[in-house]
Amino acid sequence: MSDLSYAEVSARLQQRWPEHKIEPSLERVRRLVELLGDPQRAYPVVHLTGTNGKTSTARMIDSLLRAAGLRTGRFTSPHLESVRERITLDGEPISEERFVEAYEELAPYLEVVDAEQDHPLTFFEVISAMAFAVFADAPVDVAVIEVGLGGSWDATNVADGTVSVITPVAVDHAHLLGADPVTIAGEKSGIIKPGGTAVMSQQSVDVFEVLLRRSVEVGAQVAREGIEFGVVSRTLAVGGQLISIKGLGGEYDELFVPLHGEYQAHNAATAVAAVEALFGASPETEGRVTTELLQTGFEQVTSPGRMEVVRQSPTIVVDAAHNPHGAEATAATVSEVFQFQPLIGVLGCMKDKDVYGVLEAYEPIMETVVCTRNSFVERSMPAEELGELAAEVFGEDRVLVRPHLIDAIDDAIRLAEENAVALGSGGVLITGSVITAGEARALLVRKPKNEPADRLPGDHLTADHLAADDLPGQVLGDDVGGELPDNELKGESR
């Protein structure tokens, strides 16, 4: 029996240093995994970085590997509702009991490293090491590891990827990574390791040059979308899309992917190339990746909080897009898949993002935007301030301000129903942040009977309204290496 409860472990993690307050370094986490016996070296690793698409692509790779009969571990960030979503075995979050056990197994070593170093281990460093240890103990056949922030100095980079995946690189976290894609690509290229294979999603020419230069420097093989692999065709289908992919080892036709959006087709192509690269796409391994395997793997893929329909009548879609690049992809997908008349937006953003660019991406498709604020007041933009920016883009007559998320959702539903041109034609899109998406899901997605009941309209979303095992400020964190100012460990990732 453990001496600690799950809530106590969560609280201890929250108390740890936020990584953004100190100089980037792998020294602390490298010392920790060394004391643990380097668990990250116990299995092959598929390591992912990029600006958008990391989590969806990681989930696809995980599903394809499981379809091939392999036992998988997956580490992603941020989470939507429970920190346990970050560490999965065979596609399922580890239990509360295993989460506590993993922390307790590390606890003596945390004390040693904290005492040795000028600064204590951060939340993200600790939970990364927990994932490495859980995967080694399972044991897994392959680990799929998503970077928290950047690449070179990210805590996950103590692992050496057999395959390194770089999803599309754009501008985000500019105050930490750089103000242009080329600079950001230089940081992200640090996950490309000697002797590995770099699988690159479609990039600008300048970004490709940065990634190729790093690959040449370390002697990594290269697979580029649009050259060595890519999407051959895609058509809309009920509940998703049918795609054909040119892979590294052949062409795979009519694969059903139960996710919406052209960007998800490209994520799927990248996932296929990553799996082929891991298996070694060569005459010797021909037949290891087949159309049948891919069909089975993709049919099981989910990506919560990414163009996710959570309610009907009116249709409510939740999406975690939080930068202009992601918002543009979401806007294009909504226009392609749905014919909302009208579409009402609910927007809650973080104040350190390019909020104006996000608003510009959504203005053409939203009749009205309801500006709100998620519960993480230390980082989220106040609803009134967001409303002022929205008025500059949308015009004052198309903007409502509702400080509480549940009130914003209520008003958006009302407007979608009142202004529908036909029965059921109105829709609601809740977006702007992973945190906003996660809190919306907590309010709108039906829970099993033994979980807390849905909140009532008009209630303010508080810690008690979220999943019982997680408190606000705990753990949504891709944003600053998995952590945020004032120990608010939340972040953003698509």
Side-chain angles (χ1 to χ4, degrees), residues 106-143:
L106 265 66
Y109 305 102
L110 303 182
E111 294 178 5
V112 171
V113 178
D114 286 346
E116 289 179 349
Q117 302 294 322
D118 293 336
H119 302 288
L121 288 152
T122 69
F123 163 81
F124 193 73
E125 288 167 342
V126 173
I127 201 166
S128 296
M130 286 172 60
F132 293 145
V134 167
F135 298 158
D137 183 65
V140 301
D141 297 312
V142 183

Side-chain angles (χ1 to χ4, degrees), residues 206-260:
D206 290 344
V207 168
F208 263 139
E209 287 180 355
V210 172
L211 301 179
L212 288 171
R213 189 179 309 121
R214 166 69 180 181
S215 300
V216 170
E217 288 173 357
V218 301
Q221 298 183 48
V222 170
R224 297 157 292 180
E225 184 182 5
I227 301 176
E228 283 81 20
F229 71 92
V231 178
V232 175
S233 65
R234 63 181 291 268
T235 57
L236 299 185
V238 176
Q241 53 192 309
L242 273 178
I243 64 174
S244 293
I245 291 172
K246 173 196 171 187
L248 304 179
E251 190 163 315
Y252 311 102
D253 296 323
E254 295 190 344
L255 304 172
F256 176 69
V257 178
L259 302 173
H260 297 299

Side-chain angles (χ1 to χ4, degrees), residues 317 334 340-348 358-359 361-372 386-387 390-391 393-402 407-420 426-431:
V317 179
V334 170
F340 291 134
Q341 292 183 288
L343 173 65
I344 309 300
V346 175
L347 201 64
V358 170
L359 288 163
Y362 287 131
E363 188 277 331
I365 68 167
M366 292 178 178
E367 180 174 289
T368 301
V369 61
V370 185
C371 297
T372 190
L386 179 56
V393 177
F394 283 73
E396 291 184 5
D397 59 330
R398 295 170 60 197
V399 178
L400 292 179
V401 174
R402 297 292 182 267
D407 296 335
I409 294 172
D410 284 346
D411 276 346
I413 291 171
R414 175 181 56 79
L415 290 171
E417 291 177 334
E418 289 178 355
N419 299 321
V428 175
L429 173 62
I430 306 172
T431 187

Side-chain angles (χ1 to χ4, degrees), residues 32-56:
L32 177 58
V33 294
E34 177 186 85
L35 290 173
L36 295 173
D38 285 319
Q40 79 281 6
R41 303 192 187 283
Y43 35 76
V45 170
V46 178
H47 202 183
L48 296 95
T49 190
T51 301
N52 291 308
K54 298 187 294 298
T55 299
S56 293

Side-chain angles (χ1 to χ4, degrees), residues 80 303-308 310 318-321 437-438 441 494:
L80 286 168
S303 194
R306 279 75 178 175
M307 283 303 300
E308 181 183 14
V310 296
V318 171
D319 191 83
R441 289 186 89 254
R494 191 173 183 79

